Amino acid sequence: MSVSAAIDYVTLASDIKAWARELGFADVGIAGTDLGADEGYLERWLAEGHHGEMDYMARHGTRRSRPAELEPGTLRVVSVRMDYVPPGTANAWEVIRDSDKAYVARYALGRDYHKVMRNRLQKLASRIQERVGDFSYRAYVDSAPVLEKAIARNAGLGWIGKHTVLINKRAGSYFFLGELYTDLPLPVDEPASAHCGSCRRCIDICPTQAIVGPYRLDARRCISYLTIELKGSIPVELREPMGNRVFGCDDCQLICPWNKFAQEATEPDFAPRHSLDGPRLVDLFAWSEQEFLSRTEGMAIRRTGYEGWLRNIAVGLGNADTSDAIVAALRARIDDPSPVVREHVAWALARHG
Ligand code: SF4
């Protein structure tokens, strides 16, 4: 179905931005579909094998870097962002430095953002439809092969930092991204300029040296990958530097000077559940599979699975200061049905002598 030729796209673009903000998005911009330079970057990253077991990164060919191949007819991408750290969240460095505690990446503490953001994008599309009639669109939140950071940069939402995360000058980097692909020929925004300068704090602080050079992330060493994407055994040499990070890692963002401008989340669904912003390792390790499934329902943490959850916590317990409670918690799982968990428990117990 076609859109009326009489549409004033300049006004429409400005209305879309106002509606997006009304819907709770912190920022919105509009990008075209040319991602040529980023396509080359992606190809090199894949050729170097830096994606590890994330085969889905390679599976879609050029559909990831050419929006119109993913959704035919796409001319523009409306890019949105939403801050995710709620007020009152426990201090991240204090949790990381307390070896009895478990660190969960700040984006994963509350309700899974995919549904929240997709619902909002759907509402945004409905408002556009009320104005222009039927038009072609697709809403994505991590749900398809989309080069979301490059698109967001082109839409003016920020630059890709040396740690490969998007940074916004006024809001740091603790935010989610979502996209609305559309066939509306809206005016595009100016891409954001880069402001890392000579800084390299994220490269230097990475516990596993996963940032192998500016803008080059070897996911195979990244704690986010190891604790979430990787199935099976975690390479032994990377276990100690993981510390107590049991789901994801934020160090490269925590150290980034631009995060002094980070904005608090306004979305109540992102509030930490089950005190996961600073839980004790032994308490999490005691969760039964049923408790894991019920407590993580609707949360991103589900993604690691119960076996991965126990595996990650076993590593954290192996890195904790020795105590009777920690040794007892590990011994309680020495005969765990999962060989992966058993192996990590044995490694952790050996660390406690
Ligand atoms: S820590 Fe420094 S180099 Fe790394 S992303 Fe932030 S500003 Fe850029």
Side-chain angles (χ1 to χ4, degrees):
M1 276 168 273
S2 69
V3 171
S4 160
I7 295 168
D8 173 353
Y9 287 104
V10 174
T11 304
L12 180 60
S14 126
D15 288 344
I16 288 172
K17 290 173 186 176
W19 296 332
R21 290 199 171 86
E22 279 169 30
L23 286 165
F25 293 118
D27 231 334
V28 54
I30 298 166
T33 57
D34 180 6
L35 296 165
D38 299 280
E39 183 175 293
Y41 175 85
L42 174 65
E43 282 168 0
R44 274 195 302 284
W45 186 71
L46 292 169
E48 287 169 338
H50 283 170
H51 58 301
E53 289 181 6
M54 294 184 286
D55 295 336
Y56 57 85
M57 290 301 297
R59 203 175 299 141
H60 303 282
T62 51
R63 272 190 292 165
R64 190 177 290 277
S65 49
R66 299 182 193 176
E69 286 185 14
L70 180 67
E71 183 59 26
T74 299
L75 293 176
R76 299 288 184 263
V77 183
V78 179
S79 174
V80 294
R81 65 169 199 86
M82 196 178 244
D83 301 304
Y84 62 65
V85 180
T89 303
N91 180 281
W93 286 126
E94 284 174 19
V95 178
I96 290 167
R97 288 182 189 127
D98 184 342
S99 78
D100 282 343
K101 290 194 170 162
Y103 186 78
V104 175
R106 270 30 204 159
Y107 80 84
L109 298 174
R111 187 176 180 218
D112 193 330
Y113 60 96
H114 296 88
K115 286 182 200 150
V116 175
M117 288 191 72
R118 267 183 74 109
N119 289 344
R120 302 274 168 92
L121 281 169
Q122 187 55 50
K123 284 185 184 154
L124 180 60
S126 301
R127 299 228 23 201
I128 299 171
Q129 204 154 24
E130 281 167 25
R131 169 70 62 82
V132 304
D134 283 335
F135 74 109
S136 180
Y137 71 89
R138 241 352 188 348
Y140 297 116
V141 183
D142 264 0
S143 50
V146 170
L147 275 188
E148 57 172 13
K149 288 179 274 188
I151 288 169
R153 178 204 58 218
N154 290 353
L157 296 195
W159 74 96
I160 300 173
K162 290 181 188 173
H163 51 8
T164 74
V165 178
L166 199 81
I167 308 174
N168 182 289
K169 239 177 158 178
R170 296 177 315 281
S173 62
Y174 302 129
F175 51 79
F176 301 122
L177 293 171
E179 301 79 31
L180 198 67
Y181 280 34
T182 172
D183 64 347
L184 297 172
L186 298 159
V188 298
D189 288 297
E190 276 290 306
S193 51
H195 299 277
C196 280
S198 58
C199 174
R200 47 171 289 133
R201 291 189 208 181
C202 53
I203 298 172
D204 295 337
I205 200 167
C206 177
T208 50
Q209 286 94 51
I211 308 171
V212 293
Y215 316 105
R216 293 181 62 223
L217 178 77
D218 185 347
R220 295 169 298 183
R221 301 185 64 85
C222 175
I223 295 172
S224 281
Y225 169 83
L226 296 170
T227 55
I228 304 167
E229 302 287 343
L230 179 72
K231 304 299 166 215
S233 189
I234 293 173
V236 174
E237 70 278 12
L238 297 178
R239 293 181 192 175
E240 183 175 343
M242 280 172 57
N244 61 353
R245 300 166 189 83
V246 301
F247 188 91
C249 174
D250 288 327
D251 288 35
C252 63
Q253 298 193 86
L254 291 168
I255 199 70
C256 180
W258 289 100
N259 270 326
K260 64 174 174 272
F261 300 115
Q263 303 289 318
E264 289 180 334
T266 53
E267 172 53 57
D269 271 349
F270 296 159
R273 296 182 169 186
H274 313 295
S275 304
L276 280 167
D277 54 339
R280 292 172 67 227
L281 283 160
V282 290
D283 293 341
L284 299 187
F285 208 49
W287 286 7
S288 67
E289 183 163 14
Q290 198 44 50
E291 284 167 329
F292 172 79
L293 292 174
S294 62
R295 288 175 186 170
T296 60
E297 194 167 353
M299 297 179 72
I301 289 181
R302 267 277 179 104
R303 181 160 179 174
T304 191
Y306 185 56
E307 181 182 70
W309 180 243
L310 292 181
R311 173 198 65 180
N312 300 344
I313 300 167
V315 171
L317 288 167
N319 289 326
D321 295 338
T322 303
S323 73
D324 290 346
I326 281 172
V327 172
L330 285 165
R331 286 210 177 117
R333 291 208 180 268
I334 209 162
D335 293 321
D336 192 274
S338 154
V340 171
V341 174
R342 284 203 304 274
E343 187 256 309
H344 287 73
V345 166
W347 172 86
L349 277 170
R351 305 252 305 163
H352 293 291

